[in-house]
Amino acid sequence: MMMNAFWILILTVIFLRCFSEGQENEIINIGALFSLSTISARVSKIAMNAAVHDVNSDPKFLGGRKLHLSLHDSNLNGFLSIMGALQFMETDTVAIIGPQTSVMAHVLSHMANELHVPMLSFTALNPTLTPLQFPYFIQTAPSELFQMTAVADMISYFGYKKITAFFSEDGQSENGIPTLGDKLVDRRCKISYKAIISREPTGIRDRIRKALIKVSQMESRVIVLHTYPDIGLMVLDEANSLGMLGKGYVWIATPWLSIVVDSTPISAQVAESMQGVLTLRPHIPDSDRKRAFSSRWYKISKNDSLGLIPNALYAYDTVWIIADALKRFFDHGGKLSFSTNSRLKAFEGGSLNLSALSIFDEGDQLLASILKCNMTGLSGPINFNPDRSVARPSYDILNIVGSEAKLIGYWSNYSGLSVVSPETLYTRPANRSSSNQKLRNVVWPGNSNSRPRGWVFPKSGKKLRIGVPDRVSFKKFISQDKRLGVVEGYSVDVFVAAVRLLPYSVPYDFVLFGDGHKNPKYNDLVNNIASHEFDAVVGDIAIVTNRTKIVDFTQPYIESGLVILAPTRKLRSTAWAFLRPFSPLMWGVTAAFFLIVGAVVWILEHKVNDEFRGPPKKQFVTVLWFSFSTMFLAHRENTVSTLGRLVLIIWLFVVLIITSSYTASLTSILTVEQLTSSVTGIESLITSQDRIGYQVGSFADNYLIEELNIAKSRLVPLGSPKAYADALRRGTVAAVVDEQPYVSAFLAKYCGFQMVGQEFTKSGWGFAFPHDSPLAVDMSTAILELSESGELQKINNKWLNNKYCGRQSSQIESSDQLHIESFLGLFLTIGIACFLAVFAYFCTVVREFSQHHSKMYESSHHIGSLSQRLKKFLSFADEKEEIAKNRLKRKRIEMLSCTDGKQNGDFIRRYNRNEIDNL
């Protein structure tokens, strides 16, 4: 029995030892697909091997298991990439690092989806590799979406609107350009030309040179170079030999250039061909681990003499992402297993041996573990967003100066462009405002410190086709001299003067638009720019909303706006011309206030001033005289009461203002020729049913119909100034609505008309160019220079005569009249003063009547009826104040005499006889 137990114990120990040794020796296969002829693949290989070594150096990390990295060289060949992937699938590989290009990632991801093998890449960064379509593909470096966003932000920051995209004819480069185009459109920029280079090795330099020559003939001088390092260096070398790395050019290279600069020593010849170029480099935060690995790098890469670039750090971290996911997988009791794919049994026995491909049963679990990664690697914090993109993508922005890459700022998806490191910005609130976007000074190609314009006129020899309206009226603005065959006029002179100020030559030809019998429609003229019939339009083109939607306008070179032209008649001088200064209501209100003030002064003065007393007829005449004599400050009656003087002072001030205004208005009426019109402004035209004229071809008809809702049947098209005059004189139209410069030109020749009302639109005339045309910006600057130098005014004086025919008033008669609205404040002030004075006076009289007359009836129990009391009050109010006081004093003496009898008699005898007589 004991012997059996002993053998059982021995067998158990042997089994456990064998199982333990089997687990310790378990190999976990990882595959890698790269083209080892490229710099990126060579540094990645060194970094991945270092990472595998570091993982395996700690037996406890994976529980005694070891990683085994198999690297397949695809040699830039898609077929070899597929073969390498198939080999990995035959050897129970749990994950694949790669492929190197996005083209192969699209192909191999289908295989990964079928066999459930996670595929991780830090070089295939095309944004079209979406997790919805390719769930087993993971990008462990920032996607090209962020790379192109950074480039678009740089272009927008420097103010460029058009760029040329130079890229290779392969999926790796081609797929990123549409993303760049979308990001530029969001910033109102665009790719104006795409230069595509085939990667075929034979004759590649000749193809590059021909493409560069064609680019040099384009207007854009901003070139984005998105390709591989070998082709990119050839492009820059050929561009340098063609003088395309001199002043005026802007070159922006995607991160391939930073790989070249950071990985290998740069010769003087190569450095010369990249001076002033801007490039991106994935931003790697500084850390102790990064510095330690950098020191170690020069030991492990000494045989290859390669510098440490971000791809090496991403490669190292990608291996650790897989190892960390495996560790968590094993810690939760997971076991690796593979099974045959039933759908591949049909290929069993074939020469390709596809039936050997196995499905990774725990692929879903490992994929989920990878996506939950939350660690800090050499490239910084590592974790994935819900859309599987790496968190916090950012780039260094470099400027190649000499043989070095000068750091001029950073870009992060969090805050855009900044001179502050992304790590610092993450501690602050996100701020992507334009004022917060900053970069340090750039040394541009040609060793220039001033920002290039980024645009020049094309050198193709093609002249601009400038459309000009073939006008049949108002020819001083633009017309063709039939004898000389040249286009001339105010607008043409402004355009020519502005072109002379441009820092480059602009060849152009004027092309007339119209049939020569009537003015062309200007909307059609502008639409020809959008249809590429014209490269620009010069003329008296009003800048209105619907036109700005299809073209870009320059700065206005003359102010304009719709005004109303109406016929006028002279006001004849009549015997009653002196009544014109005031409106009827003003005359009525003024007369009423003269009477009111006279009445108020009479009330306030009646009790205390003998000049305002007497028979009723005399008092009435006094009030009338006093009222109207104040108009001339000729009143002879003096005021003695405080309230009366206060009211009179205020009233005399009002009278002074009214008489001064009347005098000024009457003087204007009698000395200036007066005109009148039945139309007073746009409001009167809208409310009436009169017919309205407009100039053929202008935007006035659309504005009247669409904005003011005037019926089209009321509008009458007119083709010339003579047609204006005839229609207005005959009454065919009540008024003409046209732009102010035309109306001014009309009034300089035709009499009996005038502008009425105010301008009811504000706009200007400008030159039209295609959307985002740099020439529109430069011409705007030139127009401003013309204005500041006074040259624009000289051109205006040459062509435009702003003097009207005769001496016409620009306002109609009613504007010379003085209306009650202008004096409401004065009338309100005197009205309030009169009311308060009368109210105070009434309160004083009531108080005196109550105090004095109540004593006169102290001994009487009969108070009297209401009517009797009212009569007594009115009698008291009419009575002179001095008499009322004396009578009250006499009444009190009599009352004392009656009540005390003899004593009062003695008192009376002793009382001062003189005082009694005075009573």
Side-chain angles (χ1 to χ4, degrees), residues 182-248:
D182 293 340
K183 293 301 177 181
L184 288 173
V185 169
D186 293 342
R187 292 152 180 79
R188 295 202 64 181
C189 310
K190 68 177 183 179
I191 300 175
S192 60
Y193 180 71
K194 297 179 181 179
I196 308 175
I197 296 297
S198 171
R199 290 204 68 188
E200 291 294 328
T202 57
I204 187 171
R205 277 197 173 267
D206 289 338
R207 293 197 299 274
I208 290 175
R209 191 173 186 85
K210 290 178 181 179
L212 286 171
I213 292 173
K214 194 169 184 179
V215 168
S216 68
Q217 296 173 348
M218 302 295 169
E219 63 181 25
S220 175
R221 285 293 182 264
V222 182
I223 304 170
V224 175
L225 185 54
H226 182 53
T227 184
Y228 295 94
D230 54 345
I231 295 180
L233 290 176
M234 281 190 281
V235 171
L236 291 178
D237 185 50
E238 290 296 326
N240 187 40
S241 66
L242 292 172
M244 295 177 65
L245 276 163
K247 288 185 178 180

Coordinates of all heavy atoms in Angstrom, one line a residue, residues 182-248:
D182 N -10.1 67.7 -47.8 CA -11.3 67.9 -46.9 C -11.0 68.9 -45.8 O -11.8 69.7 -45.5 CB -11.8 66.6 -46.4 CG -12.3 65.6 -47.4 OD1 -12.7 66.1 -48.5 OD2 -12.4 64.4 -47.2
K183 N -9.8 68.7 -45.2 CA -9.5 69.6 -44.1 C -9.2 71.0 -44.6 O -9.5 72.0 -43.9 CB -8.2 69.1 -43.4 CG -8.5 67.8 -42.7 CD -9.5 67.9 -41.6 CE -9.8 66.6 -40.9 NZ -10.9 66.7 -39.9
L184 N -8.7 71.2 -45.8 CA -8.5 72.5 -46.4 C -9.8 73.2 -46.7 O -10.0 74.4 -46.4 CB -7.6 72.4 -47.6 CG -6.1 72.1 -47.4 CD1 -5.5 71.9 -48.8 CD2 -5.4 73.2 -46.6
V185 N -10.7 72.4 -47.2 CA -12.1 73.0 -47.5 C -12.7 73.6 -46.2 O -13.3 74.6 -46.2 CB -13.0 72.0 -48.2 CG1 -14.4 72.4 -48.2 CG2 -12.5 71.6 -49.6
D186 N -12.5 72.9 -45.1 CA -13.1 73.3 -43.8 C -12.5 74.7 -43.4 O -13.1 75.4 -42.7 CB -12.8 72.3 -42.7 CG -13.6 71.0 -42.9 OD1 -14.5 71.0 -43.7 OD2 -13.2 70.0 -42.3
R187 N -11.3 75.0 -44.0 CA -10.6 76.3 -43.6 C -10.7 77.2 -44.8 O -9.9 78.2 -44.9 CB -9.2 76.0 -43.2 CG -9.1 75.2 -41.9 CD -7.9 74.4 -41.8 NE -7.8 73.7 -40.5 CZ -8.5 72.6 -40.2 NH1 -9.3 72.0 -41.2 NH2 -8.4 72.0 -39.0
R188 N -11.6 77.0 -45.8 CA -11.7 77.9 -46.9 C -10.5 77.9 -47.8 O -10.1 79.0 -48.3 CB -12.2 79.3 -46.5 CG -13.6 79.3 -45.9 CD -14.2 80.7 -46.0 NE -14.4 81.0 -47.4 CZ -15.0 82.1 -47.8 NH1 -15.3 83.0 -47.0 NH2 -15.2 82.4 -49.1
C189 N -9.8 76.8 -47.9 CA -8.6 76.7 -48.7 C -8.9 75.5 -49.7 O -9.9 74.8 -49.5 CB -7.3 76.4 -47.9 SG -7.1 77.6 -46.5
K190 N -8.0 75.3 -50.6 CA -8.2 74.2 -51.5 C -6.9 73.8 -52.2 O -5.9 74.5 -52.2 CB -9.3 74.5 -52.6 CG -8.8 75.5 -53.6 CD -9.9 75.8 -54.6 CE -9.5 76.8 -55.7 NZ -10.5 76.9 -56.7
I191 N -6.9 72.5 -52.7 CA -5.8 72.0 -53.5 C -6.1 72.5 -55.0 O -7.0 72.0 -55.6 CB -5.7 70.5 -53.4 CG1 -5.4 70.1 -52.0 CG2 -4.6 70.0 -54.3 CD1 -5.4 68.6 -51.8
S192 N -5.2 73.3 -55.5 CA -5.5 73.8 -56.9 C -4.9 72.9 -57.9 O -5.3 73.0 -59.1 CB -4.9 75.3 -57.0 OG -3.5 75.2 -56.8
Y193 N -3.9 72.1 -57.6 CA -3.3 71.3 -58.6 C -2.6 70.1 -57.8 O -2.1 70.2 -56.7 CB -2.2 72.0 -59.4 CG -1.5 71.2 -60.4 CD1 -2.2 70.8 -61.6 CD2 -0.2 70.7 -60.2 CE1 -1.5 70.0 -62.5 CE2 0.4 70.0 -61.2 CZ -0.2 69.6 -62.3 OH 0.4 68.8 -63.3
K194 N -2.7 68.9 -58.5 CA -2.2 67.7 -57.9 C -1.1 67.2 -58.9 O -1.4 66.9 -60.1 CB -3.2 66.6 -57.7 CG -4.3 67.0 -56.7 CD -5.3 65.9 -56.6 CE -6.4 66.3 -55.5 NZ -7.5 65.2 -55.4
A195 N 0.1 67.0 -58.4 CA 1.2 66.5 -59.2 C 1.5 65.1 -58.7 O 1.9 64.9 -57.6 CB 2.5 67.4 -59.0
I196 N 1.3 64.1 -59.6 CA 1.4 62.7 -59.2 C 2.6 62.1 -59.9 O 2.8 62.2 -61.1 CB 0.1 61.9 -59.6 CG1 -1.1 62.6 -59.0 CG2 0.2 60.5 -59.1 CD1 -2.4 62.0 -59.5
I197 N 3.4 61.3 -59.1 CA 4.6 60.7 -59.6 C 4.5 59.2 -59.4 O 4.2 58.7 -58.4 CB 5.9 61.2 -58.8 CG1 6.1 62.7 -59.1 CG2 7.1 60.5 -59.2 CD1 6.3 63.1 -60.5
S198 N 4.8 58.5 -60.5 CA 4.8 57.0 -60.5 C 6.0 56.6 -59.8 O 7.1 57.2 -59.9 CB 4.7 56.5 -61.9 OG 4.9 55.1 -61.9
R199 N 5.9 55.4 -59.1 CA 7.1 54.9 -58.4 C 7.9 54.0 -59.2 O 8.9 53.4 -58.7 CB 6.6 54.1 -57.1 CG 6.0 55.0 -56.0 CD 6.2 54.3 -54.7 NE 7.5 54.2 -54.3 CZ 8.0 53.5 -53.2 NH1 7.1 52.9 -52.5 NH2 9.2 53.5 -52.9
E200 N 7.6 53.9 -60.5 CA 8.4 53.1 -61.4 C 9.9 53.6 -61.4 O 10.1 54.8 -61.6 CB 7.9 53.1 -62.8 CG 6.6 52.4 -63.0 CD 6.7 50.9 -62.8 OE1 7.8 50.3 -63.1 OE2 5.7 50.3 -62.2
P201 N 10.9 52.8 -61.1 CA 12.2 53.3 -60.9 C 12.9 53.8 -62.2 O 13.7 54.7 -62.2 CB 13.0 52.0 -60.4 CG 12.2 50.8 -60.9 CD 10.8 51.3 -60.9
T202 N 12.5 53.3 -63.4 CA 13.1 53.8 -64.6 C 12.5 55.1 -65.0 O 11.3 55.3 -65.1 CB 12.8 52.8 -65.7 OG1 11.4 52.6 -65.9 CG2 13.4 51.4 -65.4
G203 N 13.5 56.1 -65.2 CA 13.1 57.4 -65.6 C 12.4 58.2 -64.6 O 11.7 59.2 -65.0
I204 N 12.5 57.9 -63.3 CA 11.8 58.6 -62.3 C 12.2 60.0 -62.2 O 11.4 60.9 -61.9 CB 11.9 57.8 -61.0 CG1 10.9 58.5 -59.9 CG2 13.3 57.8 -60.4 CD1 10.7 57.7 -58.7
R205 N 13.5 60.3 -62.3 CA 14.0 61.7 -62.2 C 13.4 62.6 -63.3 O 13.1 63.7 -63.1 CB 15.5 61.7 -62.2 CG 16.1 61.5 -60.8 CD 17.5 61.9 -60.7 NE 18.1 61.8 -59.4 CZ 18.0 62.8 -58.5 NH1 17.5 63.9 -58.8 NH2 18.6 62.6 -57.3
D206 N 13.4 62.0 -64.5 CA 12.8 62.8 -65.6 C 11.3 63.1 -65.4 O 10.9 64.2 -65.6 CB 12.9 62.0 -66.9 CG 14.4 61.9 -67.4 OD1 15.2 62.8 -67.0 OD2 14.7 61.0 -68.2
R207 N 10.6 62.1 -64.8 CA 9.2 62.4 -64.5 C 9.0 63.4 -63.4 O 8.1 64.3 -63.5 CB 8.5 61.1 -64.1 CG 8.4 60.0 -65.3 CD 7.4 59.0 -64.9 NE 7.8 58.2 -63.7 CZ 8.6 57.2 -63.7 NH1 9.1 56.7 -64.8 NH2 8.8 56.5 -62.6
I208 N 9.9 63.4 -62.5 CA 9.8 64.4 -61.4 C 10.1 65.7 -61.9 O 9.5 66.7 -61.6 CB 10.8 64.0 -60.3 CG1 10.3 62.7 -59.5 CG2 11.0 65.2 -59.3 CD1 11.3 62.2 -58.5
R209 N 11.1 65.8 -62.8 CA 11.5 67.1 -63.3 C 10.4 67.7 -64.2 O 10.1 68.9 -64.1 CB 12.8 67.0 -64.2 CG 13.4 68.3 -64.5 CD 14.8 68.1 -65.2 NE 15.5 69.4 -65.4 CZ 16.2 70.1 -64.5 NH1 16.4 69.5 -63.4 NH2 16.8 71.2 -64.8
K210 N 9.8 66.9 -65.0 CA 8.7 67.4 -65.8 C 7.5 67.9 -65.0 O 6.9 68.9 -65.2 CB 8.2 66.3 -66.8 CG 9.2 66.0 -67.9 CD 8.7 64.9 -68.8 CE 9.7 64.6 -69.9 NZ 9.3 63.4 -70.8
A211 N 7.2 67.1 -63.9 CA 6.1 67.5 -63.0 C 6.5 68.8 -62.3 O 5.6 69.7 -62.2 CB 5.9 66.4 -62.0
L212 N 7.7 69.0 -61.9 CA 8.1 70.2 -61.2 C 8.0 71.4 -62.2 O 7.6 72.5 -61.8 CB 9.5 70.1 -60.7 CG 9.6 69.2 -59.4 CD1 11.1 69.0 -59.1 CD2 8.9 69.9 -58.2
I213 N 8.4 71.2 -63.4 CA 8.3 72.3 -64.4 C 6.9 72.8 -64.6 O 6.5 74.0 -64.6 CB 8.9 71.9 -65.7 CG1 10.5 71.7 -65.6 CG2 8.6 72.9 -66.8 CD1 11.1 71.2 -66.8
K214 N 6.0 71.8 -64.6 CA 4.5 72.1 -64.7 C 4.0 72.8 -63.5 O 3.2 73.8 -63.6 CB 3.7 70.8 -65.0 CG 2.3 71.1 -65.4 CD 1.7 69.8 -65.9 CE 0.3 70.1 -66.5 NZ -0.4 68.9 -67.0
V215 N 4.5 72.4 -62.3 CA 4.1 73.0 -61.1 C 4.6 74.5 -61.0 O 3.9 75.4 -60.6 CB 4.7 72.3 -59.8 CG1 4.5 73.1 -58.6 CG2 3.9 70.9 -59.7
S216 N 5.8 74.7 -61.6 CA 6.4 76.1 -61.6 C 5.6 77.0 -62.4 O 5.6 78.3 -62.2 CB 7.8 76.1 -62.0 OG 7.9 75.7 -63.4
Q217 N 4.8 76.5 -63.3 CA 3.9 77.4 -64.2 C 2.6 77.6 -63.6 O 1.8 78.4 -64.1 CB 3.8 76.7 -65.5 CG 5.1 76.6 -66.3 CD 4.9 75.8 -67.6 OE1 3.9 75.1 -67.8 NE2 5.9 75.8 -68.4
M218 N 2.3 77.0 -62.4 CA 1.0 77.2 -61.7 C 1.1 78.5 -60.9 O 2.2 78.9 -60.5 CB 0.7 76.0 -60.9 CG 0.5 74.7 -61.7 SD -0.8 74.8 -62.8 CE -0.5 73.3 -63.8
E219 N -0.1 79.0 -60.5 CA -0.1 80.2 -59.7 C 0.3 79.9 -58.2 O 0.9 80.8 -57.6 CB -1.4 80.8 -59.7 CG -2.6 80.0 -59.2 CD -3.9 80.7 -59.2 OE1 -4.1 81.6 -60.1 OE2 -4.8 80.4 -58.5
S220 N 0.0 78.8 -57.7 CA 0.3 78.5 -56.3 C 1.8 78.2 -56.1 O 2.4 77.5 -56.9 CB -0.5 77.3 -55.8 OG -0.1 76.9 -54.5
R221 N 2.3 78.8 -55.0 CA 3.7 78.6 -54.7 C 3.8 77.8 -53.4 O 4.9 77.7 -52.8 CB 4.5 79.9 -54.6 CG 4.8 80.5 -55.9 CD 5.8 79.7 -56.7 NE 6.2 80.3 -58.0 CZ 5.6 79.9 -59.1 NH1 4.6 79.1 -59.2 NH2 6.0 80.5 -60.3
V222 N 2.7 77.3 -52.9 CA 2.7 76.5 -51.7 C 2.6 75.0 -52.1 O 1.6 74.6 -52.7 CB 1.5 76.9 -50.8 CG1 1.6 76.1 -49.5 CG2 1.6 78.4 -50.5
I223 N 3.6 74.2 -51.8 CA 3.7 72.8 -52.2 C 3.7 71.9 -51.0 O 4.6 72.1 -50.1 CB 4.9 72.6 -53.1 CG1 4.9 73.6 -54.3 CG2 5.0 71.2 -53.6 CD1 6.1 73.6 -55.1
V224 N 2.8 71.0 -50.9 CA 2.8 70.0 -49.9 C 3.4 68.7 -50.5 O 2.8 68.1 -51.5 CB 1.4 69.7 -49.3 CG1 1.4 68.6 -48.3 CG2 0.9 71.0 -48.6
L225 N 4.4 68.2 -50.0 CA 5.1 67.0 -50.5 C 4.9 65.8 -49.6 O 5.3 65.7 -48.5 CB 6.6 67.3 -50.6 CG 7.5 66.2 -51.2 CD1 7.0 65.9 -52.6 CD2 9.0 66.7 -51.3
H226 N 4.0 64.9 -50.1 CA 3.6 63.7 -49.3 C 4.0 62.4 -50.1 O 3.4 62.0 -51.1 CB 2.1 63.7 -49.1 CG 1.6 62.6 -48.3 ND1 2.1 62.3 -47.1 CD2 0.6 61.7 -48.5 CE1 1.4 61.3 -46.5 NE2 0.5 60.9 -47.4
T227 N 5.1 61.8 -49.7 CA 5.6 60.7 -50.4 C 6.6 59.9 -49.5 O 6.5 60.0 -48.3 CB 6.4 61.2 -51.7 OG1 6.8 60.1 -52.5 CG2 7.5 62.1 -51.4
Y228 N 7.4 59.0 -50.1 CA 8.4 58.2 -49.4 C 9.7 59.0 -49.4 O 10.0 59.9 -50.2 CB 8.6 56.9 -50.1 CG 7.4 56.0 -50.1 CD1 6.5 56.0 -51.2 CD2 7.1 55.2 -49.0 CE1 5.4 55.2 -51.2 CE2 6.0 54.4 -49.0 CZ 5.2 54.4 -50.1 OH 4.1 53.6 -50.1
P229 N 10.6 58.7 -48.4 CA 11.8 59.4 -48.3 C 12.7 59.4 -49.5 O 13.2 60.5 -49.9 CB 12.6 58.7 -47.1 CG 11.4 58.2 -46.3 CD 10.4 57.8 -47.3
D230 N 12.8 58.3 -50.2 CA 13.7 58.3 -51.4 C 13.2 59.2 -52.5 O 13.9 60.0 -53.1 CB 13.9 56.9 -51.9 CG 12.6 56.2 -52.2 OD1 11.5 56.7 -51.7 OD2 12.6 55.1 -52.8
I231 N 11.9 59.1 -52.8 CA 11.3 60.0 -53.8 C 11.3 61.5 -53.3 O 11.6 62.4 -54.1 CB 9.9 59.5 -54.1 CG1 9.9 58.1 -54.8 CG2 9.2 60.5 -55.1 CD1 8.6 57.6 -55.1
G232 N 11.0 61.7 -52.1 CA 10.9 63.0 -51.6 C 12.3 63.7 -51.7 O 12.3 64.9 -52.1
L233 N 13.4 63.0 -51.4 CA 14.7 63.7 -51.6 C 15.0 64.0 -53.0 O 15.6 65.0 -53.3 CB 15.7 62.7 -51.0 CG 15.7 62.6 -49.5 CD1 16.8 61.5 -49.0 CD2 16.0 63.9 -48.8
M234 N 14.5 63.1 -53.9 CA 14.8 63.4 -55.4 C 13.9 64.6 -55.8 O 14.4 65.4 -56.6 CB 14.4 62.2 -56.2 CG 15.4 61.1 -56.2 SD 15.1 59.8 -57.5 CE 13.8 58.8 -56.6
V235 N 12.7 64.7 -55.3 CA 11.9 65.9 -55.7 C 12.5 67.2 -55.2 O 12.6 68.1 -55.9 CB 10.5 65.7 -55.0 CG1 9.7 67.0 -55.2 CG2 9.7 64.6 -55.7
L236 N 13.0 67.2 -54.0 CA 13.7 68.4 -53.4 C 15.0 68.7 -54.2 O 15.3 69.9 -54.4 CB 13.9 68.2 -51.9 CG 12.7 68.2 -51.0 CD1 13.1 68.0 -49.6 CD2 11.9 69.5 -51.2
D237 N 15.7 67.7 -54.6 CA 17.0 67.9 -55.3 C 16.7 68.5 -56.7 O 17.3 69.5 -57.1 CB 17.7 66.6 -55.4 CG 19.1 66.8 -56.1 OD1 19.8 67.7 -55.6 OD2 19.3 66.1 -57.1
E238 N 15.7 68.0 -57.4 CA 15.3 68.5 -58.7 C 14.7 69.9 -58.6 O 15.0 70.8 -59.4 CB 14.4 67.6 -59.4 CG 14.9 66.3 -59.8 CD 16.0 66.4 -60.9 OE1 15.9 67.4 -61.7 OE2 17.0 65.7 -60.9
A239 N 13.9 70.1 -57.5 CA 13.3 71.5 -57.3 C 14.4 72.5 -57.0 O 14.3 73.6 -57.5 CB 12.4 71.4 -56.2
N240 N 15.4 72.1 -56.3 CA 16.5 73.0 -56.0 C 17.3 73.4 -57.3 O 17.7 74.5 -57.5 CB 17.5 72.4 -55.0 CG 18.6 73.3 -54.6 OD1 18.3 74.5 -54.3 ND2 19.8 72.8 -54.4
S241 N 17.5 72.4 -58.2 CA 18.2 72.7 -59.4 C 17.3 73.5 -60.4 O 17.9 74.3 -61.2 CB 18.5 71.4 -60.1 OG 17.3 70.7 -60.5
L242 N 16.0 73.5 -60.2 CA 15.1 74.4 -61.0 C 14.9 75.7 -60.4 O 14.1 76.5 -60.9 CB 13.8 73.6 -61.3 CG 13.8 72.4 -62.1 CD1 12.5 71.7 -62.1 CD2 14.2 72.8 -63.6
G243 N 15.5 76.0 -59.2 CA 15.3 77.3 -58.6 C 14.0 77.4 -57.8 O 13.5 78.5 -57.5
M244 N 13.4 76.2 -57.6 CA 12.1 76.2 -56.9 C 12.2 76.1 -55.4 O 11.2 75.9 -54.7 CB 11.2 75.1 -57.4 CG 10.8 75.2 -58.9 SD 9.9 73.8 -59.5 CE 8.4 73.9 -58.6
L245 N 13.4 76.3 -54.9 CA 13.6 76.4 -53.4 C 14.2 77.7 -53.1 O 14.9 77.9 -52.1 CB 14.5 75.3 -52.9 CG 13.8 73.9 -52.6 CD1 14.8 72.8 -52.6 CD2 13.0 74.0 -51.3
G246 N 13.8 78.7 -53.9 CA 14.2 80.1 -53.7 C 13.1 80.9 -53.0 O 12.1 80.4 -52.6
K247 N 13.3 82.2 -53.1 CA 12.3 83.1 -52.4 C 10.9 83.0 -53.2 O 10.9 82.8 -54.4 CB 12.8 84.5 -52.5 CG 13.9 84.8 -51.5 CD 14.3 86.3 -51.5 CE 15.4 86.6 -50.5 NZ 15.7 88.1 -50.5
G248 N 9.9 83.1 -52.4 CA 8.6 83.0 -53.0 C 7.9 81.7 -52.8 O 6.7 81.6 -52.9

